[in-house]
């Protein structure tokens, strides 16, 4: 029996709600999607709850579920995935954090959680932190540059714990938090103490950095602190090829997604010009996906698009519409190059309503194109409302099984 290749496309934060300025339509309804809607004629379609109905997913927990791993069993925190995706080589016992370069005043009040978001000097600042901080209380501190304002922080040493609170207050106008131990263990107390000393050291170093002085001269915000959150001890994940029999390749620029997919044993590539933002190079991403799909080395190609989520968090309605239309363009370009004789799935990892600017527990639409005759759904447009007419009512954990089934790679369960 022929086994079909799989293309899985995830628009981060793809789902939305009706938007007043779009005439009460969602961005998916409003956007032009000729290539996607053509595929619907040979697809099953419906709604997907990434975790469970009403549960607000993170991108980390939802991607674990979509790749068939129960996040309630495997999730330990986002920090380790961010660090892996940013290039860290973690070992057992390391504690990693996701972080933002941010702007604070002399009283440590947060003025901008992202230091203006675009940070061309990010790598230089990371290099300066690595050169001048080194260790705190015999704990090695390592910094890794992510996309835009993002940075991963890794603590390596004895007697560390991920049971510590964030220093990120998560709101502008609030003071940088002191990390507090979440449990009463010596390890948690030691780790939070190291983290608080690190916060002081980072502020002193970054506030005096010549790089930030130059930013201020240019009228830009200084990136004078790193706010950390999502502590996670490193724990290995099962490999996709071991539990699903799929040789996977990933096209992504976002550190979190790259980290998860690396841990799953997939080949992860960030194409030239791929930024993890709304300015990403869609052609470059499409070309890399095409190369993977044409290769005999991969059964599953995963294409991640962050722009939909970035636009949502910034409340940029038209940018989200544009990002959706670019996803349609990318799918069309891939179809032109490799044809439609493959399994193609498109969904979001969660909903990020553009007027809410944050994740929501709403279901997201999904379609799966199957290139041979099955009982297709009669849905003409891919959006949150029309998807209700389709046959799929699933959770994230169901997606991998569906892809295995329709690619004719699933194994029988039972005798």
């Amino acid at each position: 029996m022929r086994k079909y290749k799989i293309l899985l496309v995830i628009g981060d934060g793809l789902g939305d709600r009706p938007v007043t300025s779009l005439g009460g339509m969602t961005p998916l309804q409003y956007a032009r999607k000729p290539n996607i809607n053509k595929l619907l004629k040979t697809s099953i379609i419906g709604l997907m709850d990434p975790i469970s109905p009403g549960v607000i997913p993170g991108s980390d927990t939802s991607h674990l579920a979509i790749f068939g791993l129960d996040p309630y069993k495997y999730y330990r925190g986002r920090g380790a995935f961010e660090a892996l995706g940013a290039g860290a080589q973690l070992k057992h016992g390391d504690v990693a954090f996701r972080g933002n370069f941010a702007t604070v005043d002399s009283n440590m009040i947060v003025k901008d959680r992202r230091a203006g978001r675009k940070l061309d000097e990010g790598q230089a600042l990371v290099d300066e932190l690595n050169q001048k901080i080194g260790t705190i209380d015999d704990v090695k501190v390592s910094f890794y540059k992510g996309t835009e304002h993002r940075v991963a922080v890794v603590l390596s040493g004895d007697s560390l714990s991920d049971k510590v609170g964030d220093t990120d207050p998560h709101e502008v106008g609030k003071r940088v938090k002191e990390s507090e131990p979440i449990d009463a263990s010596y390890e948690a107390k030691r780790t939070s103490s190291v983290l608080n000393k690190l916060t002081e050291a980072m502020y002193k170093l970054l506030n005096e950095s010549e790089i930030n002085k130059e930013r201020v001269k240019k009228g830009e915000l200084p990136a004078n602190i790193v706010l950390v959150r999502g502590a996670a001890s490193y724990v290995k994940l099962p490999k996709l090829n071991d539990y699903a029999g799929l040789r996977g390749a990933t096209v992504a620029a976002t550190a979190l997604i790259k980290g998860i997919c690396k841990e799953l044993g997939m080949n992860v590539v960030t194409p030239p010009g791929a930024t993890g933002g709304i300015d990403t190079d869609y052609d470059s991403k499409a070309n890399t996906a095409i190369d993977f799909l044409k290769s005999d080395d991969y059964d599953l190609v995963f294409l991640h698009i962050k722009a939909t989520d970035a636009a949502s968090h910034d409340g940029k309605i038209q940018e989200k519409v544009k990002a959706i239309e670019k996803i349609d363009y990318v799918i069309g370009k891939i179809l032109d190059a490799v044809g439609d004789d493959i399994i193609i799935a498109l969904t979001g990892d969660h909903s990020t309503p553009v007027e809410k600017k944050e994740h929501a527990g709403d279901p997201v639409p999904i379609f799966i194109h199957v290139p041979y005759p099955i009982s297709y759904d009669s849905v003409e447009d891919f959006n949150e409302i029309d998807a209700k007419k389709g046959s799929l009512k699933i959770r994230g954990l169901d997606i991998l099984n569906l892809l295995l089934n329709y690619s004719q790679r699933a194994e029988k369960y039972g005798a």
Side-chain angles (χ1 to χ4, degrees):
M1 182 179 293
R2 177 184 172 182
K3 295 180 180 179
Y4 289 81
K5 288 206 169 196
I6 303 165
L7 171 65
L8 171 62
V9 182
I10 292 182
D12 207 298
L14 182 68
D16 216 298
R17 296 171 179 172
V19 178
T20 303
S21 65
L22 298 180
M25 303 172 76
T26 71
L28 267 172
Q29 285 181 296
Y30 190 85
R32 297 181 299 275
K33 310 175 294 294
N35 297 301
I36 290 170
N37 287 341
K38 183 178 179 181
L39 286 173
L40 294 188
K41 297 175 183 178
T42 49
S43 298
I44 52 176
I45 186 171
L47 293 173
M48 184 267 291
D49 287 296
I51 309 297
S52 197
V55 175
I56 301 176
S59 289
D60 42 17
T61 52
S62 59
H63 275 83
L64 286 176
I66 288 168
F67 281 109
L69 299 180
D70 187 345
Y72 290 106
K73 178 179 179 181
Y74 289 101
Y75 184 61
R76 288 291 300 269
R78 182 163 172 163
F81 296 139
E82 291 272 356
L84 288 164
Q89 299 292 321
L90 300 181
K91 61 183 183 296
H92 186 76
D94 287 351
V95 176
F97 301 83
R98 58 185 299 216
N100 286 1
F101 277 114
T103 304
V104 295
D105 65 15
S106 58
N107 295 315
M108 300 292 275
I109 303 298
V110 177
K111 297 301 181 182
D112 189 306
R113 288 186 64 245
R114 300 177 179 87
R117 188 181 284 276
K118 187 171 177 59
L119 193 63
D120 294 334
E121 305 90 346
Q123 186 59 58
L125 289 169
V126 162
D127 292 343
E128 190 168 359
L129 288 166
N130 280 322
Q131 291 166 6
K132 296 183 179 180
I133 289 185
T135 63
I136 294 179
D137 293 346
D138 296 323
V139 173
K140 182 182 178 182
V141 183
S142 303
F143 300 86
Y144 299 87
K145 174 71 171 64
T147 55
E148 296 181 318
H149 57 281
R150 299 174 186 88
V151 57
V153 182
V154 178
L155 304 183
S156 304
D158 297 328
S159 302
L160 297 175
S161 170
D162 60 3
K163 299 297 185 291
V164 294
D166 303 342
T167 64
D168 187 349
H170 300 274
E171 289 183 41
V172 171
K174 291 192 174 182
R175 196 176 192 279
V176 176
K177 295 171 65 176
E178 284 196 7
S179 176
E180 298 286 346
I182 293 174
D183 62 28
S185 67
Y186 164 76
E187 290 80 6
K189 293 177 181 176
R190 168 173 160 77
T191 306
S192 61
S193 174
V194 169
L195 198 56
N196 291 329
K197 291 178 181 179
L198 175 60
T199 297
E200 294 179 11
M202 288 189 297
Y203 173 72
K204 182 178 180 181
L205 173 61
L206 292 173
N207 208 45
E208 296 173 356
S209 170
E210 292 299 323
I211 297 170
N212 274 319
K213 289 178 181 178
E214 286 300 315
R215 282 179 61 84
V216 171
K217 286 180 182 178
K218 292 186 292 184
E220 298 175 341
L221 293 170
N224 60 0
I225 196 69
V226 176
L227 305 174
V228 302
R229 59 195 186 281
S233 294
Y234 173 59
V235 177
K236 285 187 177 181
L237 293 180
K239 304 306 178 189
L240 182 67
N241 198 26
D242 292 338
Y243 67 83
L246 292 172
R247 300 166 300 163
T250 295
V251 183
T254 305
L256 168 66
I257 307 306
K258 291 164 61 178
I260 290 174
C261 292
K262 283 181 180 178
E263 267 301 280
L264 293 174
M266 301 173 73
N267 182 16
V268 179
V269 170
T270 300
T275 64
I278 59 177
D279 59 343
T280 197
D281 188 329
Y282 292 93
D283 284 294
S284 185
K285 280 194 164 184
N287 289 335
T288 304
I290 289 166
D291 289 343
F292 282 144
L293 286 166
K294 288 182 175 180
S295 169
D296 293 332
D297 296 332
Y298 306 106
D299 311 308
L300 167 70
V301 177
F302 168 45
L303 173 59
H304 179 262
I305 305 290
K306 180 67 175 176
T308 37
D309 192 57
S312 295
H313 281 294
D314 286 345
K316 296 180 178 179
I317 297 168
Q318 291 300 327
E319 287 289 352
K320 184 164 189 176
V321 171
K322 178 181 176 182
I324 292 168
E325 292 177 345
K326 284 292 188 179
I327 291 173
D328 183 82
Y329 164 79
V330 165
I331 289 174
K333 182 167 184 172
I334 293 172
L335 289 171
D336 288 343
V338 303
D340 64 355
D341 198 26
I342 59 174
I343 304 299
I344 303 173
L346 169 64
T347 189
D349 58 339
H350 54 78
S351 174
T352 309
V354 72
E355 291 185 334
K356 185 175 187 280
K357 300 183 182 180
E358 293 294 343
H359 296 196
D362 305 4
V364 293
I366 179 172
F367 81 80
I368 302 175
H369 158 75
V370 182
Y372 55 84
I374 62 168
S375 297
Y376 300 126
D377 289 322
S378 298
V379 178
E380 296 183 354
D381 190 69
F382 183 66
N383 62 70
E384 299 85 349
I385 289 80
D386 287 357
K388 295 178 182 179
K389 305 172 186 175
S391 60
L392 295 180
K393 303 291 187 292
I394 62 174
R395 296 185 306 154
L397 282 169
D398 299 320
I399 291 179
L400 187 61
N401 287 330
L402 288 167
L403 296 178
L404 289 170
N405 177 55
Y406 288 114
S407 66
Q408 301 184 154
R409 298 172 183 275
E411 296 183 2
K412 183 168 63 175
Y413 179 63

